[in-house]
Structures are given as structure tokens and as C-alpha cells.
Amino acid sequence: MYTKYSLEQMRNFAFKNKISIEYRPHLYTRWNMSFSKILNNQNSKFNLNSDDVIVFLHIQKTAGTSFEKFLVKNMNIEYKCECNLGKKRCNCNKNNSTKQTWLFSRYSTGWMCGLHADYTELFVSDCVENVLDRKEGGHRKRRYFYTTFLREPVSRFISEYRHVDRGATWLSAKHMCNGKPPTPDELPLCFDPDVGWEGVTLDEFLDCPFNLAFNRQSRMLADLTLVNCYDTKTMSSEKRDQIILRSAKNNLKNFAFFGIKENMNASQVIFEKSFNLKFTKSLGVWNKSKSKDTKITKAQLEKIKYRNKLDIELYDYALKLFAKRMKKLNISGFEIPPSPYNLTYEEYLKENNNWV
């Protein structure tokens, strides 16, 4: 039971934060290319010189920042992204004579569909298409190649907790769905936005029922319009969870690429073979994390697993799909990370020998 704030206080926090965010529903035609299309149809291969665009869906604490930096700085292509010192965004145009971009991501276009925009905001709402039309000054029939990274759910959750404990809030995230953001009643806020959540304890982080860190990967990959967005009163929690998980699995299967943080090197090879592109450096050097420095108890571990049960099932599915894609691309020599589905606390201790 979350006791620091009452439900009414958390609704007021959400309202206070809502009025400080600018919403532009008019930004919200798609034609996306799946992995199977890329594999089975030569005409579906990614082409930098055509109307193809890579879209990166950045889920927090999954190595997304590392991968996005690699996309803009370490691609072995003729017209490299133009990155200026002191600026976060790079110009990733097809060539020097056009405004047409081949990459929609944090470090190229910026958060143009909202901070850490999810599948519902990027794809379902058609935001990417509308934003690029405005950015490029006209419409063209683009082909979209959706990509993302996933991470073992317990480690990802702990990493997000550590990030929030250091001061992160992502308060400006819009969570647009069906053309509107959630109401304060639908999505109360776990903390006062004027104060933040810095210094939060792990138990407090686990106890707030409206914490978006729970099952973040499943929610961000699902089509939330299927469950009436953030309105949790229209169906049972069991049915809602079932639909979200099924949608997330289906969408992940249709992504042109997804990587696994626990195997960055294999992820790089899958990307390079799928897109017929090459990086100039090894992605594996970025496989670092502070989540293993966090000491947790057995009870906390069980609560983390319970709170993230959808993500654990999604990740288990993703590992199987990852292995299947490696086989189809004739990639060998890499081990598939173990699934956390039935791991015990003792096994977690073995993997993270400084946890208590």
C-alpha cells in the first residue's frame, strides 16, 4: 500500500504537471517494413537513397542512448550525419542536397513526438509521418523501419529506479493516446512535480501503483488504443494485461529490428545484416550498467518480478524471437542470454554477487 501521498494528492500532482506541458494533437499513413518482409523480399531491403526511414523507439534504460549515438556517429555510409560540437541533434539527411532524413530518433530529429514516445504515439497516432512532412517541407511516400532495444526486466527496472533516485522524472512525457493525454484521474503522479522524486527508496518506488516503470517495455510496445488508453476502468486488469502483452509481442515480431542489451554484439550483427549497413565500431563496448551495484532483498526481488510480470514474459518471448532471427540470418557464435522467467533469488545472486 502506497502511503506517502493520498490518491487525491497524486491526482493533483498529475493535474499540476499536465497544465505545464504543451500538447499538439494535430501532429497525430503509415507503411512499415517488418523483419520478414526484409528477409523474404529483395525490394523490401532498406535503401538509404530511397524513401526509407529508420524509426527508433527508445524505451528507458535499455541501452537505447548508446544505440542511437552509434546510429548518428558510427555508421559507415557515404553521407554521414552532421554532428556539431555542443549540439545534441545531428542532421542525418540522405545526401547534401536534400532535407530528407533517413533516421527518426532522439539524436537526429529529437523528441518530436514527445519525450520517449511509445508505439502508440509514434505509429498508431501517425505522428512520425506528420512530423517528417513538416520538417522536410512536403509529403513523400516513405517506408518505415521500426527498431528498438529490450533489456532483462529486473535489471532494467532497477536501472530506472537508480535513474529516478538521481533526479530523473520524464515529467514532460505526453503519453498521447487517441489524440489526447491521460487525465489526472487516469494517471495520477507518484510525486509532487515541484519537488521531484530524487532520493526515493526502492520500497517506495515499488509501492506506488501508478509508477510507469512497471512493465514499461510491454506498455511502450503495445497499441494502447486497444485497452482504451490509460482508462483502466473499462475492463478487468487481467484482460487489460492480456491485451497489452499480446499487442506488444505482435508489434515486436513485426519490427524490422530489435536488439537485446544483454547481447550487444549479436544485436549489432543482426542490425548490420538486416539493413545491409555497417558500424565503424563495436557496440559491445557500451554494455555497461549500474543496476548490478544495487543491493536488493529477496522480498524486493519477488516484488519487482511481480510488478513486471508482463515484461518478463515479453522478454522471454523476445529471446526466442532473437534466436530465431539469428538462425534465419545464419548468425552463429553468440549465446542467448538466460530468461528470467523462472530464475530464483539464489540464481540472481550468482549473476549479481553483490546483491544481498
Side-chain angles (χ1 to χ4, degrees):
M1 183 71 177
Y2 191 61
T3 57
K4 183 168 184 178
Y5 298 110
S6 68
L7 179 58
E8 187 60 31
Q9 283 178 303
M10 289 190 284
R11 285 172 175 162
N12 288 334
F13 293 159
F15 177 75
K16 183 162 49 173
N17 186 58
K18 177 185 176 183
I19 61 177
S20 69
I21 301 175
E22 177 190 4
Y23 296 101
R24 293 179 290 174
H26 64 277
L27 290 179
Y28 303 97
T29 71
R30 49 191 174 239
W31 190 14
N32 68 313
M33 307 303 292
S34 67
F35 175 80
S36 61
K37 287 179 183 177
I38 296 173
L39 195 66
N40 299 320
N41 187 342
Q42 191 64 32
N43 293 327
S44 296
K45 301 289 186 184
F46 181 77
N47 185 351
L48 266 172
N49 298 314
S50 183
D51 293 312
D52 294 350
V53 179
I54 294 174
V55 180
F56 186 73
L57 192 162
H58 187 162
I59 302 171
Q60 287 95 317
K61 313 312 294 180
T62 58
T65 297
S66 302
F67 185 68
E68 285 186 288
K69 286 181 178 178
F70 258 64
L71 286 174
V72 299
K73 294 183 177 180
N74 299 310
M75 293 295 296
N76 187 15
I77 54 179
E78 182 179 359
Y79 297 100
K80 300 184 184 299
C81 296
E82 294 182 3
C83 302
N84 297 316
L85 190 64
K87 292 188 177 182
K88 288 187 177 181
R89 297 186 193 178
C90 305
N91 291 321
C92 297
N93 298 333
K94 292 194 303 181
N95 55 59
N96 295 332
S97 60
T98 181
K99 290 184 178 180
Q100 295 179 353
T101 185
W102 60 268
L103 178 63
F104 189 99
S105 75
R106 171 188 184 181
Y107 291 116
S108 55
T109 53
W111 302 114
M112 296 189 74
C113 289
L115 177 63
H116 285 285
D118 58 23
Y119 180 84
T120 304
E121 293 173 292
L122 293 171
F123 181 77
V124 180
S125 299
D126 290 341
C127 180
V128 173
E129 180 88 337
N130 286 285
V131 160
L132 289 183
D133 281 353
R134 292 180 58 190
K135 177 179 171 61
E136 296 177 359
H139 178 72
R140 59 186 172 113
K141 193 173 183 179
R142 305 176 188 89
R143 300 193 308 179
Y144 293 109
F145 294 71
Y146 273 76
T147 63
T148 194
F149 252 79
L150 297 181
R151 183 177 181 182
E152 188 278 304
V154 173
S155 297
R156 196 216 66 80
F157 180 84
I158 294 172
S159 183
E160 179 164 341
Y161 158 67
R162 289 285 300 271
H163 202 52
V164 171
D165 178 41
R166 294 191 298 268
T169 59
W170 300 294
L171 277 172
S172 59
K174 299 175 181 179
H175 310 298
M176 295 291 287
C177 183
N178 274 338
K180 58 184 179 64
T183 67
D185 281 341
E186 292 170 339
L187 191 60
L189 200 57
C190 294
F191 55 91
D192 187 335
D194 291 338
V195 177
W197 220 6
E198 187 174 354
V200 61
T201 67
L202 180 56
D203 286 332
E204 186 182 343
F205 195 69
L206 279 163
D207 284 343
C208 181
F210 309 106
N211 190 346
L212 291 178
F214 302 149
N215 294 311
R216 181 179 289 282
Q217 296 177 102
S218 300
R219 188 185 66 256
M220 290 186 67
L221 286 172
D223 177 357
L224 297 182
T225 65
L226 299 174
V227 292
N228 202 18
C229 301
Y230 292 88
D231 184 353
T232 59
K233 298 177 181 178
T234 56
M235 65 182 70
S236 68
S237 59
E238 292 79 11
K239 184 177 181 181
R240 181 181 176 87
D241 286 351
Q242 184 183 44
I243 293 172
I244 286 176
L245 182 60
R246 185 168 64 239
S247 176
K249 286 181 177 180
N250 184 64
N251 293 335
L252 185 67
K253 181 179 68 176
N254 287 313
F255 268 40
F257 163 80
F258 71 89
I260 296 289
K261 183 188 182 298
E262 285 69 32
N263 202 327
M264 300 287 270
N265 288 326
S267 298
Q268 177 173 343
V269 177
I270 290 177
F271 177 86
E272 291 177 338
K273 284 204 169 190
S274 299
F275 286 81
N276 196 28
L277 296 170
K278 288 285 187 181
F279 288 111
T280 58
K281 294 182 179 180
S282 172
L283 193 57
V285 300
W286 288 84
N287 194 17
K288 302 174 183 178
S289 174
K290 295 181 179 179
S291 64
K292 291 187 177 183
D293 298 335
T294 306
K295 293 178 171 59
I296 67 172
T297 66
K298 184 176 182 179
Q300 287 172 329
L301 173 61
E302 291 307 312
K303 198 164 188 177
I304 291 171
K305 290 170 68 176
Y306 174 76
R307 288 292 203 181
N308 293 279
K309 57 186 177 182
L310 300 187
D311 273 9
I312 287 175
E313 187 167 341
L314 175 67
Y315 185 77
D316 184 70
Y317 170 80
L319 290 178
K320 295 181 176 69
L321 190 59
F322 192 78
K324 189 175 181 180
R325 291 191 175 190
M326 285 202 300
K327 185 176 181 180
K328 286 189 174 183
L329 291 169
N330 297 315
I331 299 172
S332 59
F334 297 102
E335 290 187 6
I336 299 299
S339 169
Y341 205 64
N342 294 310
L343 287 183
T344 65
Y345 182 61
E346 287 70 27
E347 288 171 323
Y348 271 109
L349 285 175
K350 187 177 180 180
E351 290 294 319
N352 306 273
N353 55 23
N354 55 350
W355 291 12
V356 297

